[in-house]
Structure formats: C-alpha cells, structure tokens
Amino acid sequence: MNSDKNPFIIAGYISPAYFCDRTEENKLLLRELSNGNNLALISTRRMGKTSLIQHCFHNDEIIESYYTFFVDIYASRSLRDFIFMLSKSIVETLKPYGIKIFQQFWNHVKSLHAGISFDIVGVPSFHLGLGDIQRPEATLDEIFKYLSIADKPCIIAIDEFQQIASYPEKNVEALLRTYIQQCSNAHFIFAGSQQHVMGNLFLSAARPFYQSVSMMHLQSIALPDYISFAQNLFKVNNRQIDSETIRTIYQRFEGVTWYMQKMLHVLYNMTPNGGDCNEEKIDEALQTIIDSFRYTYSETLFRLPEKQKELLIAIAKEGFAQAVTSGAFVKKYKLSSGSSVQAALKGLLEKDFITKEAGIYKIYDKFLGIWLLDNY
Ligand SMILES: Nc1ncnc2c1ncn2[C@@H]1O[C@H](COP(=O)(O)OP(=O)(O)OP(=O)(O)O)[C@@H](O)[C@H]1O
Ligand SMILES: [Mg+2]
C-alpha cells in the first residue's frame, strides 16, 4: 500500500484492500447470480450499492466465468437513452477481449454498425451518437439476441434503475421484463435508491417486475467491522485511531458508508505519520468538510424556491420529520399552510434534497443538514 495516499476512498472503487467488509452481502450476491437469479439491490443513498457491485465484479470466479457489464442510467430520460448507454457499456467491456469475441456482438447488432468502426488492427471504437439509435426496440432485440448466445454467461448491472419509471414510453418495464425473463444466459442486478420508486417497481403486484427478482436491502456496515477496517488502515500507515472516535462518527452519521469514509478520510489527513487520532479531532474534521461545501450549499439554497427552502430548513431542524403537512408542524416552523408544504415536499423529494422512509423525512445530504443548522 502506498503510504502517501489516503487509504479512505471517497469516490469509486479501487480494490478489496480499501473496501470495508460486505463479506456476507458479497457472498449472497454471488450465490444469487450463480443460481441464475436476478437481483434488486436497494438502499438509502451513499450506502455503497455501486461499490458493492464493483467489488463483486472483482471476484476471481466472476471474472473467469462471466462477462460483466455495468450501466449507470442516472442521466437517462428515455428508452432510447437507455439503449444508447447499454450499447456503449457492452462495446467498451468487450473491446479488451479482442476481435473474435467482439465480432460475435457485432454480428448481432446490425442497427449499431454505423456507430462502431475498426482501426487497422481490428480494435473497435464506439462513436455512436444518440441520433444513431433510430429504433430503440429493434436494437434492444438485437442486444438480447447477442446476450443469449454469448460464449460466456453475462451479468448486467443496471445502476440507478429507478430511472426507468420516469421514461415517457409506457411499455418499458413490460418490454424489459419480457426480454430479461427469456434470456437465460444473462443475469441482472438492478440497483437503485429512491426507495419508494424501487419498491414500487418490484413489490407492486400490478407492475411487470413484480416477484421477478430477489430483493437485497443494503444496510450500514456493522460498527465492529468498521472499527477494525479503519484501525487497520491507520495502523498499516503508521498511525492510530481509537475505537471511540469511530463509534462517535458512526452514530452521528447512522453508519452510512460515504459519510464514514469522508470523515475518516479527513481525520486521516489531519493525523501526522506516527500520530494518534482521537475524538477531539472530530469537530475540526467536520468543519473542514462543511467549509469545503459552503459555496455549493449557499448557491443551492439560493436557487431553491422560497417555500422549498423554508421546508428544507424546517426538516433540518426537526431531524427526523414526521407529519410535515400537519397544523402542528406548519405552526412550529411558521410555514404558510399544509397545502403549500405538500407542494414544496414534492419538489424537494423529486430533486433528492430529502428522503422519505417509513413516513419519516430526512435531509438526504447529512453535511448539508449540519450546514443548515449552523446557518439558519
Ligand atoms: N464497503 C466499503 N468500504 C469502503 N468504502 C466504501 C464501501 N462502500 C462504499 N464505499 C464508499 O462510499 C461511497 C458511496 O458508495 P457508493 O457510491 O457505492 O454508494 P451508492 O449506494 O451507490 O450511492 P448512491 O445511492 O448515491 O448511488 C463511495 O465513495 C465509496 O467509495
Ligand atoms: Mg450508486
């Protein structure tokens, strides 16, 4: 391990050495996939869904036995976008396998030929534009024809899957469900947050994906596992951190992975080679983080409609807010009326400023929540 580098990763996935626990979840994923099941992976934001998929794709048995495709559809707005992103991911993934493997795909996706070219030694490149996807359904059909004959079974992880619920095309769920069900050579992981949307997609009897997948809810990593992970990374880099410090930040951020990593990252930076990190450093670390976001936060708040801003601040103050449209809540925070709160609530939920779980509203970005309390 390179000792100059901060070992607490705050973006993306590097390798198992920097990855905390998830042993059971990883095993479960592997078991479901090898049994040929499809999986829905759901959690609150920043818990580690995307990283868990990457971690799983790094398993030797997965690398040897499968083609793994990862598609993040967060930015997609239509079936056409979706097909575009899926095609791109497949091309990029198959490229390193060489021309013979790639040819199999190429032979099946005639509709993509305009967007894929080969250089002089046969290395493919993808320069498809969205406009080249003329008939998304035809391309989807070709892609699935390829998936069903690929020389290895395929795992396709579709991240931010809840996006498909907002596509304008009406039949997307039914269409995908049909292809996925018929293709035994490909297994799917559907990851997403916005729990009510993901939940509705898979748990509502009227929807095409109902009962078609195994559900996996990702929870916080257990505190003892985080303690040993963090202490070990400090130790191998000639530093120390006491378990109480880790426990305190765990409690403060409900063990949500990204906040743990971010805090530990900054605490690590504050600890000199040979030094100790203890609870006294927590406030300073938190302040450093909040300061770094200060500009973004003021800008964000400035752009927010007045009613949404007022409600956001009220929810921050309340912490775990319930019955926010009730007279009592409206009065407590001097909001204008239940119906205006209702409208503001919708806006905040849509923009992911707040989350709703089991009737409780919370600020999605916990650092923003702290900043709001400091400033309002
Ligand atoms: N097990 C882990 N050990 C160490 N770091 C992790 C672990 N899981 C996730 N992380 C880190 O936490 C952050 C959030 O993880 P990730 O992006 O996977 O969450 P997510 O659930 O996909 O979030 P979102 O809902 O916003 O897409 C990342 O920066 C990642 O590096
Ligand atoms: Mg993610």
Side-chain angles (χ1 to χ4, degrees):
M1 212 176 279
N2 178 354
S3 60
D4 297 338
K5 238 185 96 196
N6 193 310
F8 295 96
I9 308 305
I10 46 177
Y13 178 83
I14 297 197
S15 73
Y18 302 96
F19 195 71
C20 176
D21 184 51
R22 296 296 188 206
T23 318
E24 285 307 314
E25 291 88 345
N26 187 39
K27 264 194 222 152
L28 186 67
L29 258 178
L30 292 177
R31 192 164 66 232
E32 292 286 350
L33 291 169
S34 58
N35 285 340
N37 294 334
N38 299 322
L39 245 138
L41 179 59
I42 304 181
S43 77
T44 48
R45 286 219 161 268
R46 302 184 167 184
M47 192 60 95
K49 299 174 291 295
T50 305
S51 314
L52 176 60
I53 295 171
Q54 304 291 359
H55 186 63
C56 172
F57 283 2
H58 275 74
N59 276 287
D60 288 340
E61 47 181 305
I62 294 282
I63 296 171
E64 277 160 28
S65 320
Y66 296 90
Y67 293 123
T68 54
F69 306 102
F70 180 88
V71 197
D72 178 349
I73 62 167
Y74 185 72
S76 70
R77 294 289 172 265
S78 63
L79 180 64
R80 195 179 183 202
D81 289 344
F82 176 90
I83 303 297
F84 176 73
M85 291 169 174
L86 179 62
S87 311
K88 188 165 181 183
S89 161
I90 297 178
V91 171
E92 298 299 339
T93 308
L94 291 180
K95 213 156 108 172
Y97 286 95
I99 186 67
K100 258 179 101 176
I101 300 289
F102 191 82
Q103 193 80 40
Q104 283 193 321
F105 176 67
W106 168 259
N107 290 342
H108 282 84
V109 289
K110 301 240 164 10
S111 68
L112 295 177
H113 282 190
I116 302 168
S117 57
F118 297 88
D119 71 8
I120 201 153
V121 287
V123 176
S125 71
F126 183 83
H127 46 82
L128 204 63
L130 194 50
D132 293 320
I133 311 272
Q134 293 289 343
R135 293 182 302 126
E137 295 194 22
T139 306
L140 184 66
D141 189 68
E142 292 176 344
I143 289 176
F144 270 91
K145 289 219 166 81
Y146 163 72
L147 291 175
S148 61
I149 60 88
D151 62 311
K152 283 201 232 178
C154 303
I155 300 172
I156 300 165
I158 306 180
D159 204 359
E160 306 287 354
F161 188 66
Q162 75 277 353
Q163 243 2 85
I164 72 154
S166 59
Y167 293 171
E169 297 92 346
K170 285 285 157 278
N171 59 346
V172 176
E173 282 171 49
L175 186 70
L176 287 178
R177 165 76 213 267
T178 307
Y179 277 113
I180 287 167
Q181 201 176 22
Q182 287 168 358
C183 184
S184 59
N185 198 40
H187 313 309
F188 288 78
I189 303 172
F190 307 104
S193 41
Q194 283 196 335
Q195 308 210 11
H196 59 291
V197 183
M198 280 296 275
N200 285 344
L201 274 169
F202 295 100
L203 297 177
S204 130
R207 305 285 281 268
F209 275 95
Y210 180 60
Q211 288 191 335
S212 67
V213 300
S214 306
M215 302 289 285
M216 181 166 168
H217 291 270
L218 202 59
Q219 310 290 352
S220 301
I221 292 166
L223 177 60
D225 294 318
Y226 234 113
I227 292 178
S228 53
F229 169 74
Q231 286 192 321
N232 181 52
L233 285 184
F234 268 75
K235 195 166 146 209
V236 297
N237 290 289
N238 196 32
R239 288 159 174 85
Q240 279 198 46
I241 182 166
D242 57 44
S243 54
E244 273 317 302
T245 308
I246 303 164
R247 182 191 307 276
T248 304
I249 55 176
Y250 189 92
Q251 280 160 355
R252 175 126 204 197
F253 294 102
E254 297 166 71
V256 178
T257 317
W258 186 73
Y259 299 92
M260 293 300 294
Q261 290 291 115
K262 185 81 185 170
M263 286 295 290
L264 288 164
H265 184 97
V266 174
L267 287 169
Y268 180 92
N269 280 347
M270 289 164 53
T271 313
N273 196 354
D276 284 354
C277 178
N278 56 37
E279 279 196 89
E280 283 161 30
K281 307 261 176 63
I282 292 180
D283 284 343
E284 189 187 335
L286 194 51
Q287 210 48 55
T288 308
I289 295 169
I290 308 277
D291 279 348
S292 74
F293 289 129
R294 176 153 297 174
Y295 177 76
T296 322
Y297 289 158
S298 351
E299 199 58 22
T300 309
L301 223 62
F302 178 72
R303 286 163 199 268
L304 218 52
E306 201 56 28
K307 295 243 165 14
Q308 295 186 14
K309 179 175 155 182
E310 285 165 3
L311 180 60
L312 189 71
I313 294 166
I315 292 175
K317 289 190 173 156
E318 188 76 4
F320 299 86
Q322 268 173 307
V324 295
T325 54
S326 71
F329 191 85
V330 169
K331 194 161 161 231
K332 182 170 177 189
Y333 293 103
K334 302 194 175 63
L335 306 167
S336 33
S337 69
S339 59
S340 76
V341 169
Q342 192 72 55
L345 204 53
K346 189 162 174 277
L348 291 176
L349 277 170
E350 269 166 12
K351 285 180 276 197
D352 269 347
F353 275 103
I354 55 173
T355 61
K356 181 188 182 190
E357 273 164 52
I360 295 171
Y361 296 94
K362 284 193 281 192
I363 306 279
Y364 149 56
D365 178 340
K366 296 176 193 299
F367 294 130
L368 171 63
I370 296 169
W371 180 83
L372 285 169
L373 288 184
D374 285 350
N375 288 276
Y376 289 91

